[in-house]
């Protein structure tokens, strides 16, 4: 068996959830576990985050899986449902749904449900993806509040720039202005706003990436927020080569040695989820020592500089990301974000859960 492995720490999940609770002690926590819990495994994450008040998912199948596994918390479908049949299934499993469009309102009004359903009514405050415009929000609310199919309504929005200089002041003011006459629970805070803007800690907060130990704020490491990495992607050296000056390694000769260089060949490639576009110099650790990748990432292998790690040999441990090598550092080098790397780990990589 290839030595590559992803390890998921439930202790780190619980720790990061506790950070959220300490930051927002008066809010309920809706842990976002969409996209297979950002690549960590839905049940792996849900068990580690079992102290959360709710779970947010994308697909109805994920919601059903959580219910059938015995999770009793609030479960929310972040994009709502796409046809009336799904709405009835959601009602039968006591799953909350986001409503963000007029057709979804009509669907709720016209459905014959076995039980009323709780709605999270979404406002568009600048993201311009989903949600009702602020000047149409009251009408959408009125259309739902008296329906026999609606058990209750939570008011929600999603910030576009909570992680950037623009911040949340303008969209938050827009949201509060449009909902000032509504006494319903409110849900606005994502990871970045949980960490940066206590004013957004309303009835619910919705942490996502911060639960998995990656930063939602570019340029700010997780240690600053007292977060711990949850996933450790590790492998081993499966070969060692020595390049003379002028020799290259890998496809396209993207690295050519200027002097004698020891190269470690790592059992990990883009078919495992490592970014193919990671350049020379992307951080990596071998035998607990930081070094850098060299050459082009292959489908099943990548290469690193072990010239200064004399003890490195076939079988030496490699950390692609984890405690020594932050996933955000790999992402920054590759011109992407930690979210993408965590979600991109492929099914062929064995995943082990540890306490």
């Amino acid at each position: 068996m290839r030595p590559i492995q992803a390890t998921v720490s439930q202790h780190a999940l619980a720790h990061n959830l506790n950070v959220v609770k300490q930051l927002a002690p008066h809010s309920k926590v809706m842990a976002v576990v969409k996209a297979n819990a950002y690549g960590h495994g839905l049940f792996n994450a849900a068990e580690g985050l079992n102290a959360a008040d709710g779970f947010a998912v994308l697909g109805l199948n994920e919601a059903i899986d959580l219910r059938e596994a015995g999770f009793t918390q609030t479960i929310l479908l972040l994009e709502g449902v796409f046809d009336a049949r799904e709405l009835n299934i959601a009602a039968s499993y006591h799953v909350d749904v986001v409503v963000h469009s007029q057709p979804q309102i009509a669907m709720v009004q016209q459905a014959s449900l076995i039980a009323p359903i709780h709605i999270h009514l979404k406002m568009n405050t600048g993201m311009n993806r989903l949600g009702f415009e602020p000047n149409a929000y009251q009408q959408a609310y009125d259309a739902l509040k008296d329906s026999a199919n609606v058990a209750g309504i939570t008011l929600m929005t999603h910030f576009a720039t909570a992680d950037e200089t623009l911040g949340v002041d303008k969209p938050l003011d827009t949201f509060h202005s449009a909902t000032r006459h509504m006494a319903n629970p409110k849900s606005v805070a994502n990871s970045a706003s949980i960490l940066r803007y206590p004013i957004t800690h309303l009835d619910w907060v919705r942490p996502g990436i911060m639960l998995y130990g990656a930063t939602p704020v570019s340029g700010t490491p997780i240690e600053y927020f007292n977060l711990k990495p949850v996933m450790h992607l590790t492998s081993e050296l499966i070969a060692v080569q020595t390049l003379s000056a002028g020799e290259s390694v890998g496809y396209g000769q993207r690295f050519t040695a200027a002097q004698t260089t020891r190269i470690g060949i790592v059992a990990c490639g883009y078919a495992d989820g490592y970014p193919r576009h990671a350049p020379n110099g992307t951080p990596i650790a071998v035998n607990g020592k930081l070094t850098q990748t060299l050459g082009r990432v292959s489908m099943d292998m990548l290469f690193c500089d072990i010239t200064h790690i004399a003890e490195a040999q076939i079988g030496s441990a490699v950390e692609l990301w984890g405690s020594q090598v932050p996933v955000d550092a790999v992402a920054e080098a590759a011109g992407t974000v930690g979210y993408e790397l965590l979600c991109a780990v492929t099914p062929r990589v064995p995943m082990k859960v540890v306490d």
Side-chain angles (χ1 to χ4, degrees):
M1 181 180 293
R2 292 173 77 232
I4 188 169
Q5 177 177 262
T7 303
V8 172
S9 167
Q10 293 190 333
H11 173 78
L13 283 164
H15 169 86
N16 295 340
L17 176 60
N18 193 50
V19 170
V20 176
K21 292 187 171 189
Q22 290 173 353
L23 290 170
H26 304 298
S27 303
K28 291 183 178 180
V29 179
M30 178 78 71
V32 181
V33 293
K34 65 179 180 177
N36 198 30
Y38 291 53
H40 293 71
L42 178 62
F43 294 125
N44 298 341
E47 289 168 8
L49 299 170
N50 195 37
D53 303 287
F55 296 111
V57 297
L58 201 68
L60 185 55
N61 59 319
E62 297 169 296
I64 292 170
D65 288 345
L66 288 171
R67 278 285 180 258
E68 292 186 341
F71 292 96
T72 60
Q73 293 95 328
T74 297
I75 299 177
L76 175 64
L77 292 181
L78 285 168
E79 290 181 359
V81 298
F82 299 95
D83 60 51
R85 291 171 299 176
E86 288 187 338
L87 193 63
N88 223 328
I89 295 170
S92 68
Y93 281 93
H94 305 288
V95 172
D96 293 10
V97 300
V98 166
V99 168
H100 58 78
S101 68
Q102 194 61 44
Q104 288 181 328
I105 289 180
M107 197 185 304
V108 171
Q109 291 175 323
Q110 297 164 15
S112 297
L113 300 182
I114 64 171
I117 199 162
H118 193 97
I119 301 299
H120 295 238
L121 185 62
K122 190 163 193 177
M123 184 189 300
N124 175 21
T125 54
M127 179 71 82
N128 293 320
R129 297 190 310 189
L130 304 177
F132 294 91
E133 294 303 310
N135 60 8
Y137 196 74
Q138 181 73 54
Q139 183 179 2
Y141 175 82
D142 290 341
L144 290 168
K145 68 182 178 68
D146 295 326
S147 171
N149 284 331
V150 177
I153 301 175
T154 294
L155 315 176
M156 72 178 294
T157 192
H158 191 59
F159 297 126
T161 56
D163 57 336
E164 298 178 8
T165 305
L166 285 174
V168 301
D169 287 348
K170 183 177 179 180
L172 186 60
D173 287 347
T174 298
F175 178 81
H176 282 318
S177 178
T179 62
R180 62 188 180 277
H181 300 305
M182 304 173 192
N184 305 63
K186 296 178 173 67
S187 171
V188 302
N190 56 8
S191 288
S193 49
I194 290 168
L195 293 169
R196 300 182 74 198
Y197 302 107
I199 196 172
T200 66
H201 302 169
L202 305 181
D203 299 281
W204 284 92
V205 294
R206 303 190 308 270
I209 193 66
M210 67 179 295
L211 294 174
Y212 305 99
T215 184
V217 183
S218 179
T220 306
I222 61 170
E223 292 80 10
Y224 179 82
F225 300 119
N226 189 30
L227 299 172
K228 294 183 178 181
V230 173
M231 181 190 293
H232 293 72
L233 184 64
T234 59
S235 189
E236 294 178 2
L237 299 184
I238 58 172
V240 173
Q241 302 289 346
T242 300
L243 303 184
S244 299
E247 291 187 318
S248 302
V249 63
Y251 290 115
Q253 297 186 333
R254 291 298 179 90
F255 171 77
T256 299
Q259 57 193 8
T260 302
T261 305
R262 288 184 77 226
I263 301 292
I265 289 77
V266 183
C268 177
Y270 60 77
D272 300 298
Y274 197 87
R276 181 179 182 273
H277 49 283
N280 291 329
T282 299
I284 192 171
V286 178
N287 265 7
K289 296 181 179 179
L290 288 174
T291 184
Q292 59 183 2
T293 64
L294 300 173
R296 179 183 287 171
V297 176
S298 303
M299 181 180 290
D300 310 308
M301 290 172 277
L302 56 84
F303 319 107
C304 61
D305 186 356
I306 56 171
T307 306
H308 65 291
I309 309 176
E311 71 276 18
Q313 58 186 331
I314 293 174
S316 290
V318 175
E319 181 180 279
L320 289 310
W321 60 69
S323 296
Q324 263 199 297
V325 182
V327 67
D328 297 305
V330 178
E332 182 178 0
T336 184
V337 289
Y339 303 69
E340 181 182 9
L341 299 190
L342 295 172
C343 290
V345 175
T346 63
R348 83 175 191 176
V349 177
M351 189 164 289
K352 178 182 177 182
V353 180
V354 296
D355 293 336

